Amino acid sequence: MTDGIEMFPLIQRLDEEGNLTGELGVLSAESLKETYTTMRFLRTFDERAWNLQRQGVIGTYAPFKGQEAAQMGAVAALNDSDWLVPTYRDWAASYLRGVPMEHGLFFSKGHPSLGDIPVGKQVLPAQVVIAAQTLHGVGVAWATKLRHENVATVVTFGDGATSQGDFHEAMNFASVLEVPLIFFCENNQWAISVPLAHQMHAETIAQRSVAYGIEGFRVDGNDYVAVANLMHDLTERVRNGEGPFLVEAVTYRLGAHTTADDPGKYRGTEEEDTWGRRDPLLRLEKWLRAQGLLTDEELVTLDAESEQKVEEILAIFREALSMSPLVLFDNVYATMPTNLASQRAQFEARVKEVGA
Amino acid sequence: MAKLTIAQALNQALELALAEDPSVVVLGEDVGKDGGVFRITDGLFDKFGPDRVIDTPLAESGIVGTSVGLAMAGMKPVAEIQFFGFIYETMDQIASQAARVRFRSLGRYSAPMVIRAPFGGGVKAPEIHSDSLEALFTHTPGIKVVTPSNPYDAKGLLLSAIDDPDPVLFLEPMRLYRAFRDEVPEEPYRVPLGKASVVREGTDVTLIGWGPSMALVLAAADELVAQYDISPEVIDLRTLTPLDEETIVTSVQKTQRAVVVHEAVRTSGFGGEIASIIQEKAFLYLEAPVLRVTGYDTPYPMTMFEDLWLPDTSQVVTAALSSVRF
Ligand SMILES: Cc1ncc(C[n+]2csc(CCOP(=O)(O)OP(=O)(O)O)c2C)c(N)n1
């Protein structure tokens, strides 16, 4: 049997205690402070979204708490012409690529604007069908290659997704076509209630790259410094035509799968505590404090600013709730067929009758 | 007799089937320790262990495809697809494989398996989770399509589905899982497949539905009686394939009017099939065109608007009235 852990040693630069075990590389102390500020805001948002579901303001929400470093690192090296192809949990990554944060709330509310990506931002709408987007990622990267665009594409997915046929077809296509794509797996250890060890018999996801004849990497997904540097390196290599690559970011979903899930049914608190100590925020915070770049007072200010930003997002969200339900008919086809137009008219009458 | 929800009745049926027949296995995503995302398999993992109640890797085509192999080799797999919308992932394995095993092998092999899936909308689930896709399978020869609407039928139909020598798609109305309770006998019993149930006898108009739609059909019937002095006959199809044409035709010959109700989008929905059977077999009895109350021809809407989009009781009442007053 292949020893995947030996073949793909965990790449790490900032350890659990917040000590640098490698170089800052392309990052600087200032940029890390900024990253931390954003991370803290994202954590605030995520926790608030959880509460909003509990208050009935939004529907089912899939928290990304614990995966901030992986998601932020995944897109750290992308520029405006690069593409991100995300899932339902990737609000941190999408936000960094220019998708407004309220889209995370739209998604959970089932608001039609959930997929309305701002023009100019090369991000696909969040995918809910497990692994379907891995093939789209290949297609997007293929298109950029056919047009000689010198652009990188990152497709993100969970560990469970690597069990789907789509993922394997995507890996095979990507490698045969040599497309400029990075497969970025957020291995958060769990697919709802199924642990990785029950999802596959291989030791690592990274080693799956071997079968497809591409390079694979295993990186500490809670270490932003390691993920961001790796992605800088790989993005450049992808642009030089050396891709595709597979990255396994080893991380952990600190919370439930979604607001409809109870992790107490299937996993132990000991495991949760262990990973709690590996929280990507704690690690960065420790390092920044040790550098004298972060103080308690600053944290108080940061939190106040984060709260303020979340309030602004909520205001936009609330405003958007007045959208007309007739939008349901508007984007089924480019031109509305006549029978659909008559159904639309019936629906409009109904909306008038019962009120939207 | 205990009063159970549909969810509990299904759980009991699975437990009985696992206890009765060692070749029965339950498999799917999160069906083990977690007891399924809707808790239909709750407790079964503890009782029967990981070889009988199996958490599979996350791969629907894999779940159904291996079930076809298990079934051909003498096991009785009961596979869960977490939400019916994810059935698309399995289309090849169901439509081109499971449904054809008997035909392709001239009866040498068969695929006696059950695919269970939560079905229908109204619970504000994310995109793809709530689609009503039954017509994809009524359009597929070789597979049976069953959908209960109450706890008693749920248990009896599921046990019949597991007994059945052919593959059965068993659709469980998600929003009715815990909506109400019914008396359900503790012992095993079977409700036969292919037999519709006349839930309420009447003389003025036949209301036909299945699965999740039965909730609004029954409410509409109550309203028609109470408010409009109209006597509706209500049919719960229970099995779409094979279809109990006789019960439908007999009823429409009596009432001379019919309204079919489903959540699925209108075009090429199963309602069209029923309307066509009625017109073929009861044409001369009809006093009004057969009407359909259905979803609109759009993708299942984002949850914010699903209550507006889904057929409701008032639409069934309106259709029944316009049929009676035609
Ligand atoms: C095709 C498909 N099957 C089932 C589901 C239901 N489901 C949603 S998330 C999930 C687990 C996904 O696990 P993983 O890929 O590890 O990603 P994570 O949620 O952990 O980020 C499942 C089974 C789905 N959305 N799509």
Side-chain angles (χ1 to χ4, degrees):
Chain A
M1 206 176 73
T2 324
D3 188 341
I5 290 180
E6 217 163 84
M7 276 178 74
F8 297 93
L10 192 71
I11 304 167
Q12 194 186 59
R13 295 194 184 204
L14 187 63
D15 72 13
E16 269 173 68
E17 306 310 320
N19 301 313
L20 266 185
T21 53
E23 308 276 316
L24 280 186
V26 297
L27 306 174
S28 64
E30 296 74 55
S31 78
L32 278 177
K33 173 115 191 246
E34 224 182 286
T35 297
Y36 181 77
T37 306
T38 307
M39 237 185 228
R40 188 111 181 167
F41 154 67
L42 288 165
R43 178 68 59 92
T44 307
F45 171 87
D46 191 67
E47 288 176 344
R48 186 66 176 276
W50 179 273
N51 293 336
L52 289 173
Q53 189 279 337
R54 288 294 184 258
Q55 293 157 16
V57 177
I58 57 172
T60 310
Y61 176 77
F64 53 77
K65 181 175 174 172
Q67 299 178 221
E68 292 93 343
Q71 289 194 19
M72 292 178 73
V75 297
L78 300 187
N79 61 39
D80 285 351
S81 49
D82 295 324
W83 284 84
L84 171 69
V85 184
T87 76
Y88 52 83
R89 202 188 291 288
D90 297 326
W91 299 112
S94 299
Y95 171 69
L96 259 68
R97 300 298 304 141
V99 176
M101 210 63 215
E102 57 268 21
H103 282 224
L105 304 179
F106 287 159
F107 190 84
S108 294
K109 181 74 183 171
H111 188 286
S113 295
L114 59 84
D116 189 12
I117 307 293
V119 175
K121 304 297 176 192
Q122 314 241 65
V123 183
L124 295 190
Q127 176 62 247
V128 86
V129 178
I130 303 296
Q133 81 281 8
T134 57
L135 285 162
H136 305 162
V138 176
V140 166
W142 193 2
T144 64
K145 182 180 178 177
L146 290 171
R147 291 194 298 253
H148 308 288
E149 282 178 353
N150 199 28
V151 149
T153 298
V154 172
V155 59
T156 50
F157 51 92
D159 41 292
T162 68
S163 294
Q164 288 279 10
D166 276 2
F167 166 74
H168 293 277
E169 294 180 28
M171 290 280 283
N172 193 45
F173 265 66
S175 61
V176 167
L177 299 165
E178 298 180 72
V179 299
L181 174 72
I182 302 167
F183 288 97
F184 189 93
C185 179
E186 290 167 58
N187 172 8
N188 68 6
Q189 317 293 327
W190 292 88
I192 310 189
S193 73
V194 179
L196 189 62
H198 214 114
Q199 194 67 241
M200 63 178 204
H201 198 60
E203 279 186 307
T204 65
I205 286 165
Q207 78 198 70
R208 295 188 159 194
S209 60
V210 177
Y212 296 100
I214 65 172
E215 253 182 279
F217 302 86
R218 205 164 131 264
V219 65
D220 184 336
N222 288 8
D223 171 359
Y224 178 79
V225 183
V227 181
N229 273 292
L230 176 65
M231 292 305 280
H232 269 280
D233 180 33
L234 295 184
T235 306
E236 202 168 300
R237 289 181 62 194
V238 151
R239 291 209 181 91
N240 291 334
E242 295 174 51
F245 299 109
L246 170 65
V247 173
E248 172 184 359
V250 181
T251 180
Y252 193 76
R253 148 161 77 70
L254 284 175
H257 171 69
T258 65
T259 43
D261 170 58
D262 170 18
K265 283 204 79 165
Y266 53 79
R267 74 184 187 188
T269 47
E270 202 175 306
E271 177 189 297
E272 288 180 352
D273 292 345
T274 304
W275 281 96
R277 288 192 290 277
R278 295 179 187 158
D279 186 330
L281 268 74
L282 276 182
R283 193 177 302 198
L284 211 47
E285 185 183 322
K286 281 182 188 162
W287 183 78
L288 287 168
R289 279 183 190 274
Q291 306 307 302
L293 290 169
L294 194 65
T295 60
D296 285 340
E297 298 84 78
E298 274 181 290
L299 276 184
V300 174
T301 320
L302 268 189
D303 284 344
E305 284 168 4
S306 294
E307 290 292 345
Q308 175 63 29
K309 267 173 98 170
V310 170
E311 288 305 328
E312 285 162 18
I313 291 163
L314 261 166
I316 299 171
F317 168 74
R318 291 204 180 94
E319 183 132 342
L321 292 179
S322 60
M323 182 178 235
S324 161
L326 288 167
V327 67
L328 295 176
F329 291 79
D330 292 344
N331 291 293
V332 185
Y333 300 98
T335 309
M336 196 178 299
T338 44
N339 74 324
L340 194 58
S342 79
Q343 289 189 17
R344 186 183 188 275
Q346 288 164 27
F347 185 71
E348 191 171 8
R350 176 166 189 195
V351 171
K352 281 214 184 89
E353 193 186 310
V354 300
Chain B
M1 232 184 291
K3 287 201 145 206
L4 303 184
T5 61
I6 288 182
Q8 291 167 324
L10 291 167
N11 180 266
Q12 216 177 66
L14 290 170
E15 185 179 341
L16 288 168
L18 283 160
E20 263 178 9
D21 182 352
S23 63
V24 171
V25 290
V26 168
L27 70 161
E29 293 159 12
D30 305 289
V31 299
K33 260 194 188 168
D34 201 32
V37 294
F38 286 102
R39 305 279 175 260
I40 306 304
T41 56
D42 226 4
L44 301 180
F45 180 86
D46 290 339
K47 273 192 196 110
F48 297 97
D51 288 343
R52 305 285 310 283
V53 182
I54 306 153
D55 272 329
T56 65
L58 205 177
E60 290 77 11
S61 180
I63 292 166
V64 173
T66 55
S67 291
V68 174
L70 281 164
M72 288 196 285
M75 301 296 286
K76 288 218 133 206
V78 182
E80 175 175 301
I81 297 300
Q82 205 157 67
F83 287 88
F84 192 37
F86 303 133
I87 207 77
Y88 286 123
E89 303 272 323
T90 72
M91 279 312 291
D92 176 64
Q93 287 297 339
I94 297 181
S96 321
Q97 307 304 329
R100 287 167 181 258
V101 167
R102 186 182 297 284
F103 186 77
R104 181 186 290 157
S105 66
L106 279 184
R108 168 70 179 82
Y109 293 104
S110 61
M113 55 191 273
V114 177
I115 301 162
R116 300 178 30 247
F119 166 55
V123 305
K124 309 254 186 297
E127 192 194 5
I128 320 281
H129 289 62
S130 305
D131 295 32
S132 289
L133 305 169
E134 65 270 34
L136 296 178
F137 300 93
T138 57
H139 199 63
T140 301
I143 182 156
K144 296 181 176 173
V145 180
V146 177
T147 176
S149 70
N150 61 61
Y152 181 89
D153 285 354
K155 178 173 171 182
L157 287 169
L158 183 53
L159 285 171
S160 294
I162 295 171
D163 289 346
D164 200 89
D166 285 311
V168 177
L169 178 65
F170 193 88
L171 302 176
E172 303 168 0
M174 190 167 11
R175 91 170 106 143
L176 301 185
Y177 268 144
R178 292 177 173 79
F180 61 97
R181 288 165 188 273
D182 248 2
E183 301 222 319
V184 175
E186 206 151 302
E187 64 277 6
Y189 62 91
R190 266 76 179 166
V191 171
L193 305 190
K195 191 85 199 79
S197 132
V198 180
V199 186
R200 169 176 206 141
E201 295 202 19
T203 50
D204 298 338
V205 55
T206 301
L207 307 180
I208 302 166
W210 54 89
S213 304
M214 287 313 298
L216 43 140
V217 171
L218 288 167
D222 285 343
E223 202 174 316
L224 287 166
V225 174
Q227 310 245 357
Y228 300 96
D229 200 24
I230 285 170
S231 158
E233 180 141 304
V234 177
I235 296 178
D236 177 355
L237 291 183
R238 298 197 294 203
T239 306
L240 305 187
T241 317
L243 182 66
D244 181 359
E245 291 186 10
E246 198 189 321
T247 297
I248 299 170
V249 172
T250 307
S251 172
V252 175
Q253 286 178 347
K254 177 172 70 171
T255 65
Q256 305 182 304
R257 294 172 163 89
V259 175
V260 191
V261 184
H262 60 66
E263 283 188 15
V265 301
R266 169 166 292 236
T267 300
S268 299
F270 196 62
E273 181 64 27
I274 294 179
S276 156
I277 286 166
I278 294 172
Q279 98 91 32
E280 277 172 13
K281 305 210 163 147
F283 181 64
L284 292 176
Y285 295 82
L286 287 176
E287 290 291 344
V290 180
L291 296 180
R292 287 177 288 169
V293 177
T294 69
Y296 300 90
D297 286 342
T298 74
Y300 191 87
M302 303 309 184
T303 58
M304 213 169 102
F305 298 134
E306 71 177 304
D307 293 341
L308 270 174
W309 186 95
L310 282 168
D312 69 6
T313 303
S314 74
Q315 284 172 307
V316 181
V317 169
T318 306
L321 289 176
S322 72
S323 174
V324 171
R325 295 169 181 168
F326 181 76

